[in-house]
Structure formats: structure tokens, C-alpha cells
Amino acid sequence: MKGFVFHGPGRSAWEDVPDPGVKDPTDAIVRVDAVTICGTDLHILKGDVPEVASGTVLGHEAVGEIVETGSDVRTVRPGDRVLVSCISACGRCRFCRDGAYGQCRGGGGWILGHLIDGTQAEYVRVPHADLSVHPLPGALESKDAVLFADIFPTAYEVGVINGGVRPGDTVAVVGAGPIGLAVIRTARLYSPERIIAVDLADSRLEAARRFGADAVVPVRDEPEQLVADLTDGIGADVAIEAVGVPESFEMCTRMVRPGGRVANVGVHGKPATLHLEDLWIKNVTITTGLVDTSSTPTLLRMAASGRVPTSELVTHAFALDQMEEAYEVFAHAADTGALKVVLGEHPHDEVAVHAA
């Protein structure tokens, strides 16, 4: 089969890779019908995630059809249309029992496209399938459903829930890329007084308005001053970092009010300075997190009922074998206007899958 393979920082290719097979009795093999590219994949290509070995198939989000299962899989069977979650969960370790699947110590957590071959291929092996794939409602199109493999649960859990967004809050979202836009959309479920979006690109700020931001401000126009002006000098109740660079994190810590919350969602490849000389007296809570995806079933139900609309996020569609072109478009979003790109939803040649 074909897959998109990482060969070290700055080197990758869509190329022939071995067909996947069931290795463990809890595995499922999924034929990939739709897949997307995450900002984390770009961090991997830059070398920001050194755990990813050369030769790994990238990708951790997909929608597809179960074609084979191991003997211990109980909740899905061949022919089922499923969402492949970005997080795998053994269901037995201490963290899984607490619903903290992202911290799984039983061979799960973020492994797809990280520690094992991922979803940016024609077929993918999914470990711990009973807790790591989700049957999909027929009404939910693949291009919409794939956004619930990572982006929406990440925005909701690591941004909105960790940030403790409450009715009447002022929420500052620094970064209006796909994650930031999903933060804005899910934060609105909690009826904040206002959401302020900050970004470098005017096109993304326009998207932020469409997704529900009440005010937008480019970085060049002193966003910290706007937040102060809108809150009578107090600051934001919640500041959510959705970029993954030191400047945006430090901006969030300056924007937040005394007693407020900073939720870091972005993947950081460089150290950020924590200015405790200023923050120690402010009673600020700072959270970090890898998504657990415990909210995925709820979000899927809300998406199927139209409560969490997604279609505006998908700006570009490609065939699966146009992976390299899709990466170029997504990586140069400032020029292309890309938010999310979705690949697939075209007929596949049959690929043999077999027990290892």
C-alpha cells in the first residue's frame, strides 16, 4: 500500500509501505476513507518531536471502514464505519481508569503517527480498537467526522474545559488556526460574555469572526491593550494559547487577570519563559495537556445534531495520493488560506491484510 513516511526533519514522501496486519488480538485494521493533516504533523516534520523515528507513517486522525479485527475486539466488526481517534486507550491502566487516555501506560496514548505507523496511508492498524475507534452515525459526512479525531476534542478538553470557561467570562484565544477556531466554537457552548481572537493573519481573524469571536485583533495592533480596554484594565478570565510558540504563551500570561486561567493547547518545540517574577502574586492557574478524547462520543452526537457545525473549517480537499501537495498547501496557510485539508473519500484498490 501507499503511506506518507517521515524520513527525518524536512524529509518525507508518499511511497510504498508494508501492508498492515493484526499483531495483537485487540487490533483492528481500518481502510482509510478520509484523513487530515494536523499542526502536530508539521511540528514532526520540523524535528520538534524527536520521538518520531525515521520511517514512520505519519497521521493520527482518520475515518474509515473496519476490514479486519483481532480475536478480542468486541465493539466493532468488519464493515463498520468508524472514526479513528488520535488517542489509543488500553482501558486497564491507572490513567485509563481515570479517563485520562492520553496518559495511557498500557501501550496507548498518542501512538499513531508518533510511536507506530499512523493514519496517512491507505490502511492503518489501530491497537486497542474497542476504546480507540468510534462507530459513526450515518448522517455525519466523513469530511466533517474526521475533525473529531483530534481537533475538536483537543480544543474542547485542553482549551475550554482545562481553561474553566464559564458563563460571563472574557476569553482570549491566541491563535486563530484550526485549533483556535475549534476553541472559539466550543467555548461558545458555555456562554462567555465575549471571545477575543488574536492572530497574525487577517484571513484567520475573519474566520474567527465567522466561528463566533466577538472581537478580533492582529498581533501588530497591541492585542494586550485591547483586552485591557474591554475588561476595564482587569484582563481576560481565560487566555487560551493555540499556536505553540514562546511569544504566544507569554502573551497569554500577560493578558490574563489575577485569579484567571491560562490553558496551553499548542505544541511547543522551543522553551517558553515563565515569568514567575510577575505571576507569583496573581493567583494564576496554568494548565497544559494532551487530549484524552473522553469527550469524543459527546462531540460526535452534537455534530450529528448540528450543535457543533464544522463544514467551514474544511477549506481544501484532495485525493489520498495527493498527500505531498496537501502538506504544501497546509504548511503555507498564510498564502493559501488553508484551515483544514481533508484527503480521501475515493475508491481504493484492494490491499491484502493478514495476521502477522
Side-chain angles (χ1 to χ4, degrees):
M1 70 170 186
K2 295 284 189 180
F4 188 70
V5 181
F6 173 68
H7 289 295
R11 295 183 294 121
S12 57
W14 177 254
E15 61 188 43
D16 290 325
V17 294
D19 302 341
V22 170
K23 293 184 178 180
D24 298 309
T26 56
D27 289 349
I29 306 299
V30 177
R31 187 195 71 201
V32 174
D33 291 328
V35 68
T36 185
I37 302 170
C38 179
T40 303
D41 297 321
L42 299 183
H43 281 282
I44 292 171
L45 290 179
K46 292 177 184 176
D48 290 345
V49 189
E51 303 85 25
V52 182
S54 178
T56 301
V57 175
L58 296 186
H60 49 266
E61 308 157 86
V63 167
E65 182 181 316
I66 301 282
V67 296
E68 185 178 359
T69 59
S71 59
D72 287 352
V73 176
R74 297 288 181 267
T75 60
V76 291
R77 60 185 179 180
D80 287 350
R81 178 171 171 261
V82 297
L83 175 75
V84 178
S85 175
C86 66
I87 298 296
S88 303
C90 77
R92 295 174 178 151
C93 71
R94 170 186 173 180
F95 293 103
C96 284
R97 287 176 179 270
D98 289 340
Y101 306 131
Q103 304 303 320
C104 175
R105 291 297 183 269
W110 174 36
I111 55 173
L112 291 172
H114 180 208
L115 305 180
I116 67 172
D117 285 339
T119 59
Q120 289 170 4
E122 294 178 303
Y123 290 78
V124 60
R125 179 179 74 92
V126 183
H128 307 299
D130 279 332
L131 284 173
S132 305
V133 301
H134 301 270
L136 286 173
L140 197 56
E141 293 186 27
S142 295
K143 68 181 178 62
D144 297 322
V146 74
L147 302 182
F148 293 88
D150 182 355
I151 178 176
F152 270 94
T154 294
Y156 180 60
E157 295 176 20
V158 185
V160 176
I161 294 178
N162 280 5
V165 175
R166 296 180 295 218
D169 275 352
T170 291
V171 180
V173 180
V174 179
I179 283 286
L181 296 175
V183 166
I184 291 168
R185 182 138 282 173
T186 52
R188 294 209 66 84
L189 298 171
Y190 289 82
S191 300
E193 179 182 1
R194 63 174 69 88
I195 298 174
I196 305 164
V198 180
D199 201 275
L200 290 166
D202 291 337
S203 61
R204 291 199 162 186
L205 293 175
E206 292 171 9
R209 280 199 183 278
R210 295 196 301 271
F211 271 69
D214 301 287
V216 300
V217 56
V219 172
R220 63 181 178 272
D221 286 352
E222 300 183 1
E224 295 164 52
Q225 187 59 54
L226 175 65
V227 171
D229 290 345
L230 291 175
T231 58
D232 296 325
I234 293 175
D237 299 287
V238 184
I240 298 176
E241 197 282 337
V243 183
V245 298
E247 294 81 4
S248 57
F249 173 77
E250 293 169 30
M251 180 185 292
C252 285
T253 64
R254 294 191 297 268
M255 283 180 172
V256 71
R257 66 165 172 82
R261 289 90 65 197
V262 174
N264 182 88
V265 186
V267 177
H268 289 262
K270 297 179 181 179
T273 301
L274 181 63
H275 288 283
L276 285 176
E277 73 278 12
D278 299 321
L279 294 171
W280 73 270
I281 201 171
K282 293 181 66 176
N283 294 14
V284 170
T285 298
I286 298 174
T287 60
T288 66
L290 174 65
V291 64
D292 293 314
T293 66
S294 56
S295 68
T296 300
T298 299
L299 290 170
L300 283 172
R301 290 195 300 271
M302 296 179 75
S305 66
R307 296 296 301 275
V308 183
T310 62
S311 56
E312 292 178 46
L313 259 178
V314 179
T315 55
H316 295 73
F318 298 88
L320 200 59
D321 60 5
Q322 294 177 293
M323 189 70 68
E324 294 177 356
E325 180 183 350
Y327 261 90
E328 282 296 309
V329 168
F330 186 64
H332 298 91
D335 300 319
T336 63
L339 294 175
K340 288 298 281 184
V341 302
V342 172
L343 302 95
E345 297 191 275
H346 67 288
H348 294 267
D349 294 330
E350 290 298 321
V351 174
V353 291
H354 52 80

